[in-house]
Amino acid sequence: MSSSLKIDGLSVSYGPIPALRNVSIEVPEGGFVSVLGSNGAGKTTLVRTITGVLYLQKGKVTSGSITRDGQDMTKLKTRKIVTGGVAQVPEGRMLFPQLTVEENLRCGAASRRDLAGINDTLSEVFDLFPQLPPLQNQLAGLLSGGEQQMVAVGRALMAKPSLLVCDELSLGLAPLIVRDLFLLLDRINKEGVAVLAIEQNARIALQHSTYAYALEVGEIVLEGPSDELRENQEVQDLYMGGGGDSREAYAAIRREVNR
Amino acid sequence: MTSVTETATPASRQILAKRTPTWMRALPFLVAIASPVILDKISWNPFGGWKLLVGFLVLVGIGWFAWSNAEHDPDDPRLSLKLWHRADQRALAAVTCFVLMAIPFILSTDWEPPMDFPWNSWFRIVNYIILFALGAGAFNLLVGYTGQLSMAHAAFLMIGTMVGAQVGLIWEQSFWLCLPVAALAGAVLGVFFGIPALRLRGLYLMLATIGVHFIILLVWKEYIVHQFGFSGMRFTTPNLPSWLHWIPGINPEDGEFLINSQFRWFWVNLGITTVGLLFIVNVVRSREGRAFAAVRDRDISATLLGINVPRSKLVSFALSSALVSVSGCMLSYYNRARSEDSFHLELVLDYGIIIVVGGFMGIQGAIFGSIFFFALPMYFEWMREELPIISDIDFFSRYAGEIDLAIRGILVVVVLVWRPDGLAGLWQAMKKRALLRMQAPRRGVVQ
Ligand SMILES: Nc1ncnc2c1ncn2[C@@H]1O[C@H](COP(=O)(O)OP(=O)(O)O)[C@@H](O)[C@H]1O
Ligand SMILES: [Mg+2]
């Protein structure tokens, strides 16, 4: 299968501080890939590099390449990358708080010029998130965290991407909302959009993705099909609190308390 | 997940129902405003009063009719791109047009108004309000909408004036040519002097643009001294182009139609300001304008979405400076005389007060702010001169300027504490409440 995104031997540093070392990741066309990593592993750095905003943080690609359709993306401007079909849901949502939900969504289509097409995509996004139409004229800064994340995903979709990069979608959200969001990602993925979910929440990411990578201190330490990683003892120890199933962990705690 | 608004709307209506009605809450303010009028020896002209009353009732009738036919379809995502998509918005636009067209006729005729109001000096104020609304709207596009704090506003007024003087006085071209040239010069120089904004923001940008002000001030002084000497510029009276003489109501004398009275200036100012403000409204609602707001709110996020942030900033500088420059050119022709010290840096503060008090929301803020800024001192002056008790107190007339400034300052604070989104926010809230109340009973019948 051809790949939607191919990262090859990527190394990135902020000044003298290396943040990524020799990272290789591949997202197949229409695939759902996740990258797991704890705090400071370099997840956001990876996203910044893909979307070409590393320079804003004074970061530099020291070696390696990111290719898409055979074209190197590390030298491209962000707007070229966005027009090329890569949209990002940034960490912490980063909505425009003083704009309404609709204006936020329309901002997502900033790279497009066809008003009719934009209106159609807007209707599609509103269909995908039925919670949003009633909030259309609400200021985005006043929404709840889950609603804001939906707007953030919808805003990314407004660019009609073929690859959606999500940075810590689950950050600060209730488990039920996170589950809903990932179900939506599944739906978006079914419609042919490749998804790269960068997550600290390994459990949910492994449930929904088909292939996964584990990033630790800037390096890929583990990779494989998500089902296999889910069974992997190391992954369970590292990212799932070692207890395997949460129900089991909960039961263990109850036993402790009752004793 | 549950939808927020579906449960929230009825609840908020209940709260509304329990509240004191708006007119009752507004009563103290109305009484306060009207008290001088009541206190005054009212010279009520029955005929004038009658006409005023009928005119008022007609207006209310039009507004009520259009409003009661208002349809709202909040679910259509496309409607919000249209300028006046709701009936109440259309009605408001129509009423506004009507009022605007009535103003000059009321102010200019020798019709005896119902009260001893200084109507004629009000005409000058109305013209200033219109001219300043254009400048303030343009200022707001840059400062309020794009978030680029610029102090070079007076500088662009100077640039507009210099273009007006060069093209109109020295090259002896028509006033109507000065305006597009001023816009062009403003846009080009706006891009040039906007370059610091690519690197600086907030207070640092403010300091850099103060520098821009003084650079242009230097050019301005040199220009005036070399071209006009120490007496300064004397602008000529614009002449309406002959191909516009067919317009009804225009009767040229000796083949000329000079814009030489407040009445005639009113229409020129109103026309150009309306075009300028509608332009701003449409920019703000376009892709370009949303990019401005995105840059203001979070420029990193804007970059991520593929918005060209440096370009957006420069386009905003260009559009804003072009319109400010046009308003500067018009202000100078309207004022007739300009000298070395006609444009102070403090002028930026005046425009700042206008948009802060008016509110950063769209152009309404600029309009409400200008009215506040000009009408209030006028009103104070009238109170000082005409009111029986106040006019006897020597203190008030001796420190007139200072008292005006102090009261204006206090009112600015009051408005901002009371409504941080300014007079425009107050207006919006009142409108929303009125709409809700009008809809509530009809919805109730349906449910
Ligand atoms: N702007 C920056 N300047 C210098 N170092 C940075 C910067 N951003 C991140 N880093 C460093 O890079 C490493 C990876 O950070 P990050 O990509 O934000 O991790 P994650 O998103 O996985 O939590 C961290 O050690 C962090 O300190
Ligand atoms: Mg991160």
Side-chain angles (χ1 to χ4, degrees):
Chain A
M1 212 201 260
S2 64
S3 60
S4 179
L5 184 79
K6 197 162 156 47
I7 302 176
D8 205 14
L10 183 73
S11 299
V12 171
S13 56
Y14 294 104
I17 312 158
L20 292 179
R21 262 174 310 234
N22 198 19
V23 170
S24 300
I25 288 172
E26 190 174 347
V27 184
E29 200 89 57
F32 195 142
V33 173
S34 56
V35 175
L36 317 174
S38 42
N39 255 333
K43 302 183 297 294
T44 301
T45 306
L46 180 64
V47 177
R48 283 182 192 144
T49 318
I50 295 172
T51 46
V53 287
L54 205 53
Y55 72 96
L56 288 176
Q57 311 282 340
K58 307 235 174 340
K60 272 223 154 46
V61 175
T62 48
S63 69
S65 66
I66 303 177
T67 46
R68 202 172 137 70
D69 306 324
Q71 196 190 5
D72 187 18
M73 299 212 308
T74 47
K75 296 276 182 301
L76 283 185
K77 286 239 159 64
T78 305
R79 19 175 212 294
K80 286 276 166 344
I81 296 171
V82 175
T83 13
V86 182
Q88 177 191 345
V89 184
E91 182 177 1
R93 312 187 270 271
M94 302 254 278
L95 297 183
F96 305 114
Q98 312 251 12
L99 296 188
T100 65
V101 167
E102 184 192 337
E103 284 168 333
N104 264 279
L105 292 174
R106 284 188 185 276
C107 276
S111 55
R112 297 169 59 185
R113 260 143 220 287
D114 53 326
L115 188 59
I118 291 172
N119 280 332
D120 289 344
T121 317
L122 186 64
S123 301
E124 282 166 37
V125 168
F126 277 151
D127 288 346
L128 195 62
F129 302 97
Q131 293 91 341
L132 293 188
L135 303 174
Q136 190 179 350
N137 296 317
Q138 193 96 268
L139 289 189
L142 304 178
L143 302 184
S144 74
E147 287 160 348
Q148 287 197 10
Q149 194 63 280
M150 283 179 210
V151 177
V153 176
R155 188 179 64 176
L157 290 177
M158 287 299 291
K160 272 230 167 244
S162 54
L163 172 65
L164 186 67
V165 183
C166 304
D167 192 1
E168 300 220 30
L169 212 56
S170 65
L171 196 72
L173 297 181
L176 267 180
I177 296 175
V178 173
R179 201 200 58 198
D180 281 357
L181 278 167
F182 270 85
L183 287 173
L184 275 165
L185 281 192
D186 273 346
R187 260 182 75 185
I188 295 163
N189 182 238
K190 292 248 164 52
E191 286 170 20
V193 180
V195 177
L196 178 61
I198 312 240
E199 266 301 330
Q200 215 175 131
N201 184 340
R203 188 182 309 282
I204 189 103
L206 288 177
Q207 261 168 25
H208 291 266
S209 61
T210 49
Y211 200 86
Y213 298 82
L215 189 66
E216 265 326 305
V217 209
E219 280 176 284
I220 301 284
V221 290
L222 204 67
E223 66 172 282
S226 302
D227 313 338
E228 281 175 28
L229 286 198
R230 220 170 6 205
E231 306 304 321
N232 186 315
Q233 193 55 49
E234 207 177 335
V235 171
Q236 294 194 349
D237 289 347
L238 267 173
Y239 303 113
M240 302 186 188
D245 200 342
S246 61
R247 245 172 297 147
E248 233 170 75
Y250 180 68
I253 292 168
R254 286 299 295 268
R255 259 178 268 129
E256 284 288 317
V257 172
N258 288 344
R259 194 179 294 160
Chain B
M1 245 166 282
T2 53
S3 155
V4 175
T5 39
E6 255 164 40
T7 52
T9 314
S12 64
R13 272 208 202 112
Q14 280 170 5
I15 294 168
L16 277 178
K18 276 185 215 142
R19 272 196 188 158
T20 340
T22 316
W23 66 268
M24 247 188 218
R25 293 200 298 158
L27 211 56
F29 296 99
L30 290 178
V31 170
I33 292 171
S35 57
V37 180
I38 298 167
L39 278 173
D40 191 17
K41 40 196 186 308
I42 303 170
S43 68
W44 186 267
N45 174 334
F47 183 65
W50 182 77
K51 265 210 291 199
L52 202 69
L53 192 67
V54 170
F56 180 71
L57 286 180
V58 167
L59 275 185
V60 170
I62 295 175
W64 177 262
F65 176 75
W67 229 323
S68 60
N69 285 318
E71 283 167 28
H72 301 275
D73 185 5
D75 297 335
D76 188 344
R78 283 146 215 226
L79 272 184
S80 56
L81 281 186
K82 301 221 173 84
L83 194 49
W84 289 299
H85 67 277
R86 294 197 322 250
D88 63 290
Q89 291 171 329
R90 280 198 296 272
L92 192 66
V95 172
T96 310
C97 282
F98 189 81
V99 171
L100 282 174
M101 296 188 33
I103 284 177
F105 291 103
I106 294 174
L107 293 186
S108 69
T109 51
D110 40 10
W111 163 56
E112 185 74 17
M115 295 149 222
D116 276 358
F117 236 61
W119 294 99
N120 280 320
S121 44
W122 275 78
F123 215 157
R124 190 170 53 82
I125 294 302
V126 167
N127 271 321
Y128 263 117
I129 289 174
I130 296 173
L131 280 170
F132 267 64
L134 176 60
F139 188 50
N140 194 18
L141 182 68
L142 185 65
V143 177
Y145 219 77
T146 322
Q148 307 298 307
L149 193 51
S150 163
M151 299 287 280
H153 195 85
F156 283 99
L157 291 175
M158 285 191 258
I159 285 171
T161 304
M162 281 192 279
V163 169
Q166 185 68 29
V167 175
L169 301 183
I170 295 184
W171 294 340
E172 299 186 336
Q173 299 298 314
S174 126
F175 164 70
W176 309 101
L177 186 68
C178 297
L179 298 179
V181 178
L184 194 70
V188 171
L189 290 170
V191 170
F192 180 71
F193 288 114
I195 289 173
L198 303 187
R199 278 303 175 127
L200 306 173
R201 59 173 89 179
L203 281 177
Y204 299 99
L205 179 61
M206 198 181 100
L207 289 177
T209 47
I210 289 180
V212 170
H213 172 86
F214 285 109
I215 293 171
I216 295 179
L217 186 66
L218 199 68
V219 176
W220 161 261
K221 289 195 167 171
E222 282 294 302
Y223 178 77
I224 285 207
V225 171
H226 282 284
Q227 299 284 6
F228 297 92
F230 288 97
S231 59
M233 307 167 174
R234 301 249 146 229
F235 285 91
T236 49
T237 312
N239 191 354
L240 194 73
S242 53
W243 51 270
L244 279 176
H245 286 177
W246 56 267
I247 296 177
I250 286 184
N251 30 7
E253 304 120 20
D254 308 328
E256 282 198 322
F257 190 83
L258 293 173
I259 313 296
N260 56 4
S261 64
Q262 301 283 6
F263 183 82
R264 294 180 181 179
W265 267 111
F266 176 88
W267 297 102
V268 174
N269 293 342
L270 184 68
I272 293 171
T273 296
T274 307
V275 170
L277 290 184
L278 281 181
F279 175 74
I280 293 176
V281 172
N282 278 315
V283 165
V284 161
R285 302 150 57 80
S286 70
R287 220 177 88 248
E288 203 72 61
R290 270 192 306 277
F292 291 170
V295 168
R296 174 201 61 202
D297 271 12
R298 277 178 210 271
D299 50 358
I300 294 186
S301 229
T303 312
L304 281 176
L305 299 175
I307 292 170
N308 189 339
V309 174
R311 181 179 167 277
S312 280
K313 286 182 180 173
L314 291 184
V315 168
S316 178
F317 262 98
L319 295 181
S320 169
S321 318
L323 288 172
V324 171
S325 171
V326 166
S327 95
C329 183
M330 288 174 58
L331 265 172
S332 297
Y333 268 89
Y334 175 68
N335 246 358
R336 315 247 1 224
R338 285 299 186 201
S339 61
E340 259 185 77
D341 54 356
S342 289
F343 296 99
H344 300 281
L345 185 61
E346 292 97 271
L347 209 50
V348 188
L349 295 185
D350 291 351
Y351 281 93
I353 290 176
I354 288 178
I355 63 170
V356 167
V357 170
F360 289 111
M361 310 195 326
I363 58 160
Q364 282 177 359
I367 297 169
F368 285 124
S370 299
I371 294 174
F372 175 90
F373 190 81
F374 283 105
L376 216 60
M378 208 55 209
Y379 185 69
F380 292 155
E381 196 181 313
W382 176 68
M383 276 171 53
R384 235 181 349 253
E385 283 169 7
E386 301 289 331
L387 285 193
I389 306 159
I390 294 179
S391 61
D392 291 343
I393 302 177
D394 202 25
F395 177 79
F396 286 128
S397 43
R398 210 166 342 129
Y399 295 101
E402 287 81 353
I403 292 175
D404 276 2
L405 275 180
I407 295 182
R408 188 143 62 176
I410 291 169
L411 280 175
V412 167
V413 174
V414 168
V415 168
L416 286 187
V417 170
W418 186 33
R419 281 224 73 102
D421 47 0
L423 295 173
L426 178 67
W427 167 249
Q428 296 276 355
M430 273 163 44
K431 221 170 70 172
K432 196 180 269 174
R433 210 168 292 153
L435 273 179
L436 270 181
R437 189 161 311 122
M438 282 178 191
Q439 285 176 327
R442 278 193 284 152
R443 290 253 169 113
V445 171
V446 173
Q447 273 161 6

